[in-house]
Amino acid sequence: MRTGIATVCLSGTLEEKLRAAAKAGFGGVEIFETDLVTSPLSPERVRALAADLGLGLDLYQPFRDFDSVPEELYRANLRRAEAKFRLMGRLGMDTVLVCSNVATASIDDDALRAEQLHGLAELAGDHGVKVAYEALAWGTYVNDYEHAVKIVADADHPNLGTCLDTFHILSRGWDTEPIEKIPGEKIFFVQVADAPKLSLDVLSWSRHYRVFPGEGQFDLPKFLGHVARAGYNGPVSLEVFNDTFRQADVARTAVDAMRSLIWLEERTARHLAAEASGPGADAPSPAELARASRAYAMPLTTLPQVAPPTGINFAEVISADGAPRTAELERLLAQLGFASRGEHRTKPVSLWTLGDARIVLNRQQARGLEPAISALGFDVEDGVAAAARAVQLRAVPVPRPSQANEEILQAVNAPDGTEVFLCEDTRWIAEFGEDQARTPAAAGGTEDGEWSPSSAGAPPAGSGAARIDHINLAQPWQHFDEAVLFYSSVLALTPEASQDVSSPSGLVRSQVMQTARPEDEAGRRDVRLALNLAPWIQSDSVKGARTDTFQEHVAIEVDDLVAHARACRGRGLPFLPIPENYYEDLDARYGLEPGFLATLRELDLLYDRDAQGAFLHFYTASVGSVFFEVVQRLGGYDGFGAPNAPVRHAVQHSVQHAARHGG
């Protein structure tokens, strides 16, 4: 599939946009008129630069308000068009986008529209230009792509075809099945954009909230499947108007955009293969997927096939060697019940375990950094295939120097800098030595708080049922949608409906990414990842160099939370203090048994329930930007205790404020 991107999608100058698009791997670009008008580069220099970069100049756009006008204005429009056609000749471009009229339309007459577009196409043909007519969703008289296709057919000129734009079609809820009836040679251009489903006027929705494919809620594989069946084999180009993208780094936005199209290609091939197999068939095999990708004039690239991850292998926290916060973090882990498994053979890295929950404490290259989540390990069937898929989706590999006796782990960088490891097993644990364990004074170490070289007095590892239930990562505002796309495409996690959670600093948007729930409703999801877009994250941040408000956490599931909480309290664990008002409200909402409510109050535990089950959890104090949560799921409860999140945010805010102001 030939990929393209409109310059309006990206920040920067026209030259910067062209270079970023080429580096990301796009085959061509749409030149948006404003980008050319404001550029110091002549059309000839733009043409030469694109050629040097290996970019096609696929579409000049837009030509507005041409049709449905009185004769005098029509003649003026033709003069304007001829000037643009001459300009396109200098650029070496052969296709122009003409939008249905939204401003100067005064005559509602399809025959007149066809006549005027025929005249435009006749003039375009004299200059070697094709005209792609597009029905804007807010067009005065033409806002339906089928209406536009009929007008094109009535105009009957070889240089006139239609442009199909996913936003203008799907935002209006138009049926996409008739696309297959359009002759492929009359589809001159295809533009794609995704979007969240909003209750908003369509013009504002279009101008501010479009996103790249896979970052919204439109069924783009189905749409593109219809286009493929119609016989189209031209560019599939992104046209995304988004305020955030236009402020973000041009190079990484271009990479995010390219990733979205690569994944859309694969999802379209899967859609076509599934439809060919019929209802109720199993997921397409690699051979069926390959056949579907080659079945139509428009070839579709597929990726290495990988299953979703089956668990969280480990979480890594970075913290400076010898820093007080590092000792505080180690003490906190011990108080939680984690046992030290010792130091790595060759690196300043230690491993802590509680049952099947593993925390890696990385002190490499961490000078001056506050503790922060720096890496996640996911259990996958084939690490090499998973890494190959990630790289094809434009993820950047993480170099991991390994000696001869060490496991080779595949890893890539997530958009926020978190390293994502793709682990087939836990053999890497053997690289940590039990005889090198370090124990804090609070859990049996020396009285002055220094670490003992002996593992004597280390807390028990705890129940084998303990596991990492979920990870919560905070995201910079510029790259929140990018993160959702990354985890969806690279790890096959499914985004759930996002929620807004109140906090003293404003609303926090929380996006859950997780694996599909097992058929058994009481079964546990393999992977849960919560991405938080917080109002105080105002710029790109380096892991570990964030303020204490950039909170992230690891949640550990245990099989008896009350007993575990009592044991943690006995080891001196600093719990997040929950206000009395919360328990009064809890009693009013649920009418809990008095003894149980007293236990919750005593231990600073939180509670939630739904029709499927109940949820118990507590939070620790934060160390740097990291804190821990311990949870217990009862019955089929599948949430995260969302009603309790405002309580946690408020208490953390108060604690941070007191720490900053000495209160």
Side-chain angles (χ1 to χ4, degrees):
M1 184 177 86
R2 177 175 170 80
T3 58
I5 185 170
T7 54
V8 74
C9 301
L10 304 170
S11 65
T13 65
L14 179 57
E15 180 175 355
E16 290 169 338
K17 295 179 184 195
L18 295 178
R19 292 188 182 281
K23 187 174 181 180
F26 283 96
V29 296
E30 304 174 38
I31 297 289
F32 207 76
E33 187 170 56
T34 304
D35 286 311
L36 180 66
V37 170
T38 58
S39 174
L41 301 179
S42 69
E44 290 78 12
R45 287 184 62 192
V46 171
R47 180 177 184 171
L49 175 61
D52 290 344
L53 294 171
L55 281 175
L57 297 180
D58 295 334
L59 185 74
Y60 188 75
Q61 72 127 324
F63 194 85
R64 300 182 184 276
D65 304 326
F66 178 84
D67 62 310
S68 309
V69 297
E71 179 67 19
E72 183 179 352
L73 183 53
Y74 170 62
R75 293 299 169 189
N77 284 342
L78 286 178
R79 290 193 296 273
R80 179 164 56 100
E82 186 164 23
K84 296 304 179 184
F85 295 157
R86 289 195 297 267
L87 172 64
M88 290 173 63
R90 297 169 63 193
L91 286 164
M93 303 181 77
D94 66 0
T95 307
V96 63
L97 180 72
V98 175
C99 303
S100 62
N101 203 326
V102 301
T104 60
S106 61
I107 305 171
D108 187 9
D109 183 338
D110 276 1
L112 176 65
R113 276 186 279 274
E115 179 184 334
Q116 291 180 342
L117 287 170
H118 182 98
L120 179 66
E122 190 72 20
L123 179 62
D126 294 341
H127 293 269
V129 171
K130 298 185 298 181
V131 175
Y133 182 57
E134 174 184 56
L136 295 182
W138 53 91
T140 303
Y141 299 124
V142 181
N143 56 28
D144 179 346
Y145 79 96
E146 289 187 84
H147 190 180
V149 168
K150 180 182 181 301
I151 294 169
V152 167
D154 292 344
D156 190 22
H157 195 287
N159 285 68
L160 179 66
T162 191
C163 173
L164 299 177
D165 183 304
T166 61
F167 183 86
H168 295 302
I169 295 171
L170 299 178
S171 66
R172 294 296 300 265
W174 302 130
D175 182 12
T176 55
E177 194 81 29
I179 289 174
E180 297 188 23
K181 299 177 183 178
I182 306 172
E185 67 274 10
K186 297 303 286 185
I187 303 175
F188 280 7
F189 209 78
V190 171
Q191 295 173 321
V192 293
D194 209 338
K197 293 186 178 179
L198 302 173
S199 298
L200 194 68
D201 71 274
V202 70
L203 178 58
S204 299
W205 188 10
S206 172
R207 285 290 174 260
H208 302 285
Y209 297 103
R210 296 196 200 192
V211 289
F212 295 131
E215 297 177 352
Q217 295 171 279
F218 288 162
D219 190 349
L220 298 185
K222 178 182 177 183
F223 172 92
L224 201 56
H226 292 316
V227 170
R229 288 199 187 97
Y232 178 74
N233 189 25
V236 175
S237 185
L238 296 166
E239 187 192 46
V240 173
F241 298 88
N242 184 290
D243 299 341
T244 299
F245 295 172
R246 292 296 298 270
Q247 299 176 60
D249 177 76
V250 62
R252 69 179 294 169
T253 302
V255 169
D256 182 37
M258 189 64 205
R259 176 183 298 129
S260 75
L261 277 188
I262 294 170
W263 193 39
L264 176 58
E265 280 193 76
E266 181 191 47
R267 290 189 294 150
T268 302
R270 282 187 169 277
H271 168 77
L272 291 169
E275 289 210 334
S277 300
D282 294 335
S285 67
E288 291 171 328
L289 197 57
R291 281 196 297 272
S293 71
R294 300 190 301 266
Y296 302 97
M298 182 173 66
L300 298 168
T301 301
T302 57
L303 301 165
Q305 298 304 294
V306 297
T310 58
I312 298 178
N313 194 284
F314 68 87
E316 178 187 279
V317 178
I318 191 168
S319 190
D321 200 3
R325 284 295 181 94
T326 302
E328 185 181 351
L329 180 63
E330 291 175 314
R331 184 175 294 108
L332 182 69
L333 287 170
Q335 291 165 335
L336 270 170
F338 280 82
S340 171
R341 297 290 294 270
E343 292 287 291
H344 191 271
R345 295 169 183 164
T346 62
K347 305 178 182 75
V349 178
S350 59
L351 172 65
W352 295 75
T353 62
L354 173 62
D356 293 324
R358 306 172 196 93
I359 304 296
V360 173
L361 182 56
N362 188 347
R363 305 185 304 281
Q364 300 179 96
Q365 300 177 337
R367 179 176 296 178
L369 300 184
E370 289 288 296
I373 295 174
S374 53
L376 302 177
F378 293 93
D379 294 317
V380 299
E381 292 178 357
D382 187 334
V384 173
R389 175 185 176 86
V391 170
Q392 286 191 39
L393 285 161
R394 300 301 191 265
V396 178
V398 174
R400 182 180 184 266
S402 301
Q403 298 192 10
N405 61 343
E406 295 176 359
E407 290 295 313
I408 298 176
L409 299 179
Q410 306 291 331
V412 295
N413 275 312
D416 70 342
T418 301
E419 296 178 350
V420 173
F421 284 82
L422 305 161
C423 309
E424 297 179 15
D425 49 51
T426 57
R427 288 182 296 182
W428 57 270
I429 293 177
E431 298 171 17
F432 294 83
E434 292 279 1
D435 59 335
Q436 302 177 65
R438 310 194 307 169
T439 305
T446 59
E447 293 183 0
D448 59 3
E450 294 297 321
W451 297 98
S452 165
S454 168
S455 62
S463 168
R467 58 186 286 273
I468 294 179
D469 180 82
H470 65 272
I471 307 286
N472 182 300
L473 297 177
Q475 300 296 306
W477 67 271
Q478 302 97 319
H479 308 299
F480 185 82
D481 291 317
E482 181 185 359
V484 173
L485 175 63
F486 173 86
Y487 287 107
S488 298
S489 61
V490 171
L491 288 179
L493 298 182
T494 301
E496 304 296 329
S498 63
Q499 293 186 353
D500 289 335
V501 177
S502 64
S503 81
S505 300
L507 288 179
V508 177
R509 177 182 169 194
S510 182
Q511 176 69 69
V512 172
M513 312 286 299
Q514 54 194 4
T515 48
R517 185 158 186 161
E519 291 298 324
D520 173 11
E521 281 299 309
R524 296 288 185 259
R525 295 186 188 271
D526 292 326
V527 172
R528 303 170 189 262
L529 183 65
L531 306 177
N532 279 2
L533 174 60
W536 49 77
I537 304 170
Q538 293 299 316
S539 62
D540 287 314
S541 300
V542 177
K543 284 284 184 176
R546 299 168 173 165
T547 65
D548 283 350
T549 54
F550 204 113
Q551 297 290 307
E552 302 178 313
H553 74 268
V554 180
I556 310 299
E557 183 184 22
V558 298
D559 54 10
D560 187 341
L561 185 115
V562 171
H564 194 87
R566 291 194 186 282
C568 290
R569 181 147 289 182
R571 290 190 287 266
L573 177 72
F575 285 60
L576 196 68
I578 306 302
E580 172 60 26
N581 290 339
Y582 168 78
Y583 296 105
E584 291 184 9
D585 177 68
L586 199 64
D587 187 32
R589 282 189 290 137
Y590 294 123
L592 299 176
E593 190 274 322
F596 179 58
L597 183 64
T599 299
L600 298 180
R601 182 183 279 112
E602 172 199 355
L603 297 173
D604 287 304
L605 307 185
L606 298 103
Y607 175 87
D608 187 34
R609 75 182 182 207
D610 58 20
Q612 284 70 47
F615 188 62
L616 286 170
H617 58 138
F618 69 81
Y619 301 105
T620 72
S622 298
V623 181
S625 65
V626 180
F627 65 97
F628 292 87
E629 180 184 10
V630 182
V631 310
Q632 182 181 2
R633 297 180 180 276
L634 302 170
Y637 185 92
D638 195 37
F640 296 81
N644 299 327
V647 178
R648 189 254 295 176
H649 285 297
V651 175
Q652 287 177 329
H653 179 83
S654 297
V655 170
Q656 292 158 7
H657 183 272
R660 285 194 296 267
H661 297 88

